[in-house]
Amino acid sequence: MAKQAYDEVMATYGHRILPPNHPYARFVTKIAKRLVRVSGMDALQWEFHVIDSPERNAFVLPGGKVFVFTGILPIVENEDGMAAVLGHEIAHQIARHSAEKLSFAKVLMAAKLTLVIFGIDPSFIFNQLTLNFMMMKPFSRKCEKEADLMGLDLMAQACFNPKEATMVWQRMEASGTGKGVPQFASTHPSHKNRIVYLEEKIPEALQLRAQSDCTSDLAHFAEMFRRVQG
């Protein structure tokens, strides 16, 4: 299933994927490497692709295949903003949300089958309205919130500024993306709600960042930069 999804994405966007040496691709990869290093999943065969397309979005496929649209770059604005987006996508992989959603769908299917066995019409409970608005979408929003909060910790551990995560969502809201869609009808939390719960979590993330060896880490990157320039 993961390979099929990957092949479908490549068939759709493959001709728009920027080469690895493109400045945008190098920008994303540089930040991604720092996040992967603290993820505990650095043995996974991660891939980070940048798609030249105006969508303000990014997504991850099972197996650590992350895709970032160039349309989101003006929203992230800087390395910390990009770390917030990539941390979110990497968190989805760590939490195995794709597998969770598949398992949840299987549980719903089993429940429907059980009702049929007992002679109860499952459409009374499992109609399209209840499936979408009372089951699948709330579950999806739960996964998104988990990825937001895990991603915040990841970016803090990787010595990025976690405060930038709320700034990203403020810029996303200002851009009009998702405007007019109430949260209950969406697979994602509203921008405002994201800002609220991320702000609540930021003090913990800052403490986590303080506990990381960011001074040595930044010195290491500065030394690497000097070597490249020299």
Side-chain angles (χ1 to χ4, degrees):
M1 184 175 292
K3 185 180 184 305
Q4 181 182 351
Y6 180 79
D7 290 343
E8 288 176 0
V9 170
M10 295 304 288
T12 304
Y13 295 109
H15 64 292
R16 291 188 175 185
I17 290 179
L18 299 176
N21 61 346
H22 191 282
Y24 290 164
R26 290 168 62 187
F27 171 70
V28 168
T29 301
K30 178 181 70 170
I31 295 161
K33 284 181 178 178
R34 285 174 60 182
L35 293 164
V36 167
R37 192 171 63 186
V38 300
S39 71
M41 297 188 70
D42 48 318
L44 189 67
Q45 293 183 332
W46 292 93
E47 292 181 18
F48 294 88
H49 302 285
V50 179
I51 301 171
D52 188 13
S53 191
E55 291 94 324
R56 301 184 184 104
N57 199 12
F59 63 92
V60 62
L61 297 179
K65 309 299 186 283
V66 179
F67 295 84
V68 177
F69 292 94
T70 54
I72 204 171
L73 296 182
I75 301 293
V76 302
E77 281 194 357
N78 52 54
E79 290 190 359
D80 296 311
M82 190 75 253
V85 171
L86 290 175
H88 173 94
E89 301 306 333
I90 291 170
H92 273 309
Q93 176 64 49
I94 294 171
R96 302 185 74 247
H97 281 154
S98 295
E100 252 189 66
K101 288 179 181 179
L102 183 59
S103 297
F104 185 63
K106 287 180 178 178
V107 168
L108 293 179
M109 185 63 69
K112 289 174 70 174
L113 183 59
T114 301
L115 290 176
V116 171
I117 291 172
F118 283 96
I120 301 172
D121 183 2
S123 64
F124 176 72
I125 300 174
F126 294 98
N127 56 57
Q128 199 63 35
L129 186 66
T130 56
L131 275 174
N132 270 331
F133 294 102
M134 297 179 66
M135 298 178 187
M136 295 305 296
K137 287 183 177 178
F139 183 76
S140 181
R141 290 194 295 271
K142 168 186 167 290
C143 292
E144 292 299 322
K145 182 176 181 179
E146 284 179 1
D148 281 340
L149 298 178
M150 287 177 65
L152 194 70
D153 285 346
L154 279 175
M155 66 182 294
Q157 286 178 287
C159 299
F160 292 102
N161 181 7
K163 291 181 179 179
E164 192 65 28
T166 58
M167 301 299 292
V168 167
W169 290 111
Q170 287 172 9
R171 290 191 289 269
M172 187 72 82
E173 184 176 28
S175 74
T177 303
K179 187 176 181 180
V181 181
Q183 178 169 285
F184 75 86
S186 175
T187 56
H188 290 61
S190 69
H191 301 326
K192 288 183 179 179
N193 281 346
R194 280 182 138 152
I195 292 166
V196 168
Y197 63 65
L198 283 170
E199 283 183 340
E200 290 174 354
K201 180 77 171 177
I202 280 176
E204 291 180 34
L206 288 172
Q207 187 175 7
L208 190 62
R209 187 182 189 276
Q211 292 168 355
S212 300
D213 193 12
C214 293
T215 303
S216 298
D217 203 42
L218 292 174
H220 170 70
F221 282 107
E223 177 61 26
M224 286 180 62
F225 180 77
R226 282 194 293 269
R227 288 177 184 176
V228 171
Q229 293 299 307

